[in-house]
Each structure stands twice: as C-alpha cells, then as structure tokens.
Amino acid sequence: MIVNIFDYGMNGEGVAKLNGKIVLVPNAMVGETADIFVTNDYKNYAEAKVVKIIQPSPARIDSNCKITGCGGCGLTHMRYDEQLKFKQLLIKKTIKKIARIDTEVNPTVASDKQFNYRNKASFVVGDMVGFYKENSHNLVDVEYCHLMDKNINNVLNIFKNWKIINKNCIKNLVVRSLNNQILVGVVTEKEFDLSSFLEVLKQLYLPVGLYQIINTRKDSVVLAGAVKHIGGIKEIELNNFGIKYSIDIMSFHQTNEYIQNKIYTQVLNYIKPEHVVTNAFSGAGLLTAIASKKAKKVYGVELVKSAHKLAEQLKQANNLTNVTNINMDFNKFLLNPPKTDIILLDPPKKGCGKILEKLDIKTIIYISCNPISLAKDLQILTKKYIIEEITPYDMFPNTTSVETVVKLRRK
Ligand SMILES: C[S@@+](CC[C@H](N)C(=O)[O-])C[C@H]1O[C@@H](n2cnc3c(N)ncnc32)[C@H](O)[C@@H]1O
C-alpha cells in the first residue's frame, strides 16, 4: 500500500494515514512516499513496515551501521540536521499534547560528536557478545558500535578473542572510557581468575583497570553484587570546570560528556555570583560542585546515601567551602527549605510530580531526560511559573532520546 509520510511519532517513526487511520512506519521520513505492509492493526492506529521507499526524503542517508535490529539507534537513516529538527518538534508537540501549552522551543543543541560519543557500554555475553534486540532476549552480535568511544570497541574485540578460549560464567562486559583512561568490568555468576584477561588488555597501551563484579541476581540489573579490583587503574581521573573528580566502574556519570558540558555551561549562565542555589536530585554532586564555582552558596539534596557520600568526598577534595550536601528526600527538604534564589531540578525519569506544587523559589532550572514526565511537570509548574526558555540538548545522537533544559520564573 502506498502512503505519504507527513509527521514523526514519539520514537522517530514516520506517520501516515491509511483509510483515515494513523499508521506508524519505522524508518520512514517526513515528505517520503513509501510502499508499506501493515504488521499490526489496532483499534485507533496501525503499525507497518517499509517495503520500499518510492520517493526518498533529501535528508535520508545510508546508515553506516552493519548490525541489524539491535534497536539501539533509531535515527541513523536521518541526516543530523533532520534529527535535531525532529527532537525540537518532539519536545514542542509533547508539551502541547500533554500539558496543553503551546510554547516556543529553541533549536536542539547539537553534540560535537554524533558517533563514538558514548563513554560507557554494557554488553551482554552469551553465545555472542552484543546487545539484546529491542523488547526481547534475542542477543545480537556486535563487532563495532558506532555510538561507543573507539577504546570501548577495541576492548570489545580484545574480550571476544580472549573469550573464545576462556568459556566461562560471564554475564556482561561493562566498559568505560574517558580521556583515554579505561575501566573494564567483567560481570560473572561466580568468582574465577581473570588475570589472563588483564594481560591481554595491556595491548591497548593505555591506562586500564579491570574489575570483577560477582552478580548472582536473576533480573536485568548488571552492576550489582561484590566488586573486586583485579588490577590496573582503579579510577578514571577527570577535571571539568575546574572540579577534580574520579569515577570507578560502579559510579553514575553522564554518557555523553560533550553535551553534558554544554548543559552545565548553560546552567552556569543562569547563575549569578550573588545567588543561593539548591541542586535537587544532586547525585554524586558534580553539578553542585560546578555551580558552587559561580554561586554564593549551593545546597545539594540527594536521597541515596552512597551518592551523598561521593558528593561529600567531592566537596572535600575540591575544598568547596560554600557547599552543603543534604542526604534527604526532596519531599521532606521542601517542608522547610533554606532561602534560595535558584533551584536546579534533575529528577529521575519519572519526573517530580505533585511535590512541585510546594515549590516557591523565584527561578527553576529543570533538566529532564524524559519529554513525557517533563510535560506533566510543566503542567503543574505553569500554574505558578512562566516558561522563559526551553532548550533540547542532543545527549544521544542517532537515537530518539533527548535531554531538555527549561528555565521558569515565578509569576
Ligand atoms: C537523574 S539523576 C541526577 C544526578 C545528578 N544530577 C548528576 O548529574 O550526577 C537523579 C538523582 O535523584 C536522586 N533521587 C531520586 N529520588 C529522590 C528524592 N525523592 N529525593 C532526593 N533525591 C532523589 C537519585 O538517587 C539520583 O541520584
């Protein structure tokens, strides 16, 4: 059946109409005419596959990925400027649909790197080494992932060669690479000798450290259980915005540093030297520390004790005398908050919800990784606040994910 694609869906699929019904067509682009085959026909919409693109979009490109169906990146067929436009419109449409707010959205800030930008990978190890196909437990073999840092791909191939002669109870391979320092975590069901793997990792001729994580869990959580340092470096040492910090194999760290730094630069632009800032959902405290370089005083509020401890270490290591880290649920914190000029909100995927009704701070800077929960939260916030600026950031080029920074001012 021949259709014209007139819009994009939430996941970058082409949207067409067939006999009046909406059809979602993955890998089809706005402006294209396509021959499609309907795979699922639901009451309100249908799903279809492309049989042939009859009239391609000028923004269509050949994907450089040779892996079929890992589902990791949904937009490799789109030229980068089209991806950025898609993400800008996605934020605008989601806010309009969910929050019923028709607002301007700035153009998406591009990532300097569109490939090899990911500093962390978690591969599944089975008969092959790679990723599970989307929504399944079918393992797809990966030789080279274009999203991963080159060192990560090199470690993957060294591991695969080593594994051929070392068949054992390995569940996952986790690799981190930042500033040419590499940490490798081998997740296993039980303890066994990994020293021969440490030896072959020396082929990288870079600072590298190896960890064994003994994880007996049966669910999909990868980094859990007993952690043993096998040899090499223990941590990756970093320095951003004048803050010295280190991360180990278990730490949380933003996956695309190039765009993370652009977000933090924007946040710093919003802060003035006389401001008292609260950084809610502060994690291991990097943004708190960076903000403290400009603000008069910063409070970091974090629920998880281990993350709070790391934030305290960061404060000590950098001698940050104007930082107070508070290990508390943000809900509780809002019962008696200190006087603050700006609040930074960087909540987990599910967003903040009704607690936002209690907020009474002049300026809010909301960093979101989920357009849907952002839109729901903006619906609550706009009862008391005016949206001043919305900027999407392309944290994950070639995928459908997008990070957004919103600045709001109390009415
Ligand atoms: C998206 S992460 C942000 C991390 C941090 N901004 C960073 O970039 O390192 C969300 C953080 O919020 C914390 N968190 C979740 N619920 C919370 C709550 N109710 N109160 C305080 N912190 C919470 C999580 O433990 C996590 O560290």
Side-chain angles (χ1 to χ4, degrees):
M1 267 155 300
I2 312 291
V3 293
N4 294 318
I5 308 294
F6 65 89
D7 200 359
Y8 289 120
M10 284 294 288
N11 297 309
E13 326 88 324
V15 179
K17 265 194 178 167
L18 194 61
N19 304 325
K21 196 186 245 185
I22 289 290
V23 195
L24 300 178
V25 193
N27 297 314
M29 292 177 59
V30 168
E32 293 188 328
T33 305
D35 185 3
I36 61 164
F37 169 76
V38 174
T39 48
N40 291 305
D41 195 2
Y42 303 109
K43 192 167 168 240
N44 297 323
Y45 74 101
E47 289 168 345
K49 272 186 175 170
V50 169
V51 178
K52 193 178 174 207
I53 300 289
I54 295 166
Q55 179 65 52
S57 157
R60 177 174 282 280
I61 53 170
D62 279 339
S63 168
N64 55 3
C65 184
K66 300 285 170 280
I67 308 164
T68 40
C70 99
C73 24
L75 304 181
T76 48
H77 59 290
M78 274 187 203
R79 215 171 51 201
Y80 193 50
D81 58 334
E82 182 83 357
Q83 293 186 26
L84 297 176
K85 224 185 316 162
F86 156 67
K87 291 184 186 188
Q88 180 189 17
L89 283 176
L90 174 74
I91 299 300
K92 189 172 168 61
K93 280 192 301 190
T94 310
I95 293 172
K96 191 168 178 189
K97 191 169 165 200
I98 295 177
R100 312 226 167 274
I101 304 167
D102 197 358
T103 177
E104 286 297 307
V105 173
N106 288 336
T108 311
V109 175
S111 172
D112 296 348
K113 276 193 165 189
Q114 286 114 50
F115 294 102
N116 306 111
Y117 61 82
R118 282 193 65 109
N119 57 41
K120 185 183 169 194
S122 178
F123 299 103
V124 181
V125 182
D127 293 336
M128 294 170 270
V129 185
F131 302 124
Y132 283 133
K133 203 171 171 168
E134 221 178 354
N135 303 324
S136 85
H137 272 84
N138 301 332
L139 192 52
V140 180
D141 186 57
V142 174
E143 260 182 34
Y144 186 96
C145 173
H146 289 273
L147 303 192
M148 305 296 169
D149 182 278
K150 292 198 169 132
N151 292 331
I152 294 180
N153 282 301
N154 291 339
V155 171
L156 172 67
N157 285 297
I158 292 173
F159 175 79
K160 282 177 147 190
N161 289 332
W162 173 81
K163 191 184 162 278
I164 292 172
I165 38 174
N166 292 275
K167 288 196 184 300
N168 23 44
C169 52
I170 301 174
K171 293 163 63 162
N172 298 88
L173 172 74
V174 178
V175 193
R176 269 202 141 126
S177 170
L178 282 130
N179 290 359
N180 273 331
Q181 303 166 67
I182 303 164
L183 289 178
V184 182
V186 176
V187 183
T188 61
E189 279 162 15
K190 46 185 188 261
E191 192 164 352
F192 67 90
D193 186 12
L194 283 175
S195 51
S196 62
F197 184 42
L198 183 62
E199 274 310 302
V200 290
L201 284 172
K202 290 183 182 156
Q203 298 169 28
L204 291 162
Y205 293 103
L206 288 171
V208 58
L210 178 62
Y211 282 88
Q212 180 166 28
I213 297 125
I214 301 147
N215 179 351
T216 51
R217 288 172 73 136
K218 297 279 172 253
D219 57 18
S220 58
V221 176
V222 174
L223 287 177
V227 182
K228 194 176 154 195
H229 180 243
I230 305 297
I233 61 168
K234 282 191 170 164
E235 288 171 338
I236 292 176
E237 308 284 345
L238 298 164
N239 189 332
N240 264 346
F241 298 89
I243 301 294
K244 285 183 284 164
Y245 62 106
S246 53
I247 50 170
D248 67 17
I249 196 73
M250 304 294 275
S251 319
F252 169 81
H253 191 64
Q254 293 288 3
T255 332
N256 178 346
E257 276 230 316
Y258 308 94
I259 214 76
Q260 174 205 266
N261 290 346
K262 288 192 184 187
I263 292 176
Y264 289 173
T265 303
Q266 179 63 64
V267 171
L268 284 179
N269 284 340
Y270 290 137
I271 297 174
K272 294 209 165 72
E274 65 272 21
H275 283 155
V276 176
V277 177
T278 291
N279 181 21
F281 310 98
S282 54
L286 181 59
L287 181 56
T288 309
I290 290 170
S292 79
K293 288 276 176 181
K294 188 149 179 206
K296 186 167 139 200
K297 165 98 198 145
V298 186
Y299 296 94
V301 185
E302 169 58 44
L303 178 68
V304 173
K305 202 170 186 153
S306 55
H308 165 76
K309 266 187 164 172
L310 290 170
E312 278 294 278
Q313 283 169 18
L314 193 65
K315 173 183 159 173
Q316 307 299 338
N318 289 278
N319 195 21
L320 306 173
T321 49
N322 60 343
V323 165
T324 302
N325 289 309
I326 304 167
N327 185 199
M328 197 185 269
D329 186 329
F330 182 53
N331 278 290
K332 259 195 180 161
F333 173 84
L334 280 186
L335 293 176
N336 190 15
K339 202 179 164 312
T340 298
D341 302 292
I342 296 186
I343 186 159
L344 312 177
L345 300 171
D346 185 5
K349 243 182 162 173
K350 66 177 193 322
C352 299
K354 275 180 101 51
I355 47 163
L356 292 175
E357 288 171 356
K358 292 190 218 155
L359 261 191
D360 195 19
I361 292 167
K362 199 170 153 203
T363 304
I364 300 174
I365 297 164
Y366 189 133
I367 305 172
S368 160
C369 60
N370 179 355
I372 295 175
S373 61
L374 172 68
K376 287 181 184 162
D377 284 348
L378 286 179
Q379 191 172 24
I380 300 172
L381 284 171
T382 46
K383 288 179 192 143
K384 277 205 300 205
Y385 287 83
I386 292 165
I387 298 172
E388 283 202 333
E389 194 170 29
I390 305 182
T391 313
Y393 284 80
D394 197 16
M395 182 76 91
F396 302 103
N398 290 299
T399 79
T400 53
S401 298
V402 57
E403 200 91 357
T404 313
V405 179
V406 184
K407 181 172 184 245
L408 299 113
R409 177 173 46 85
R410 200 175 44 204
K411 284 180 190 169

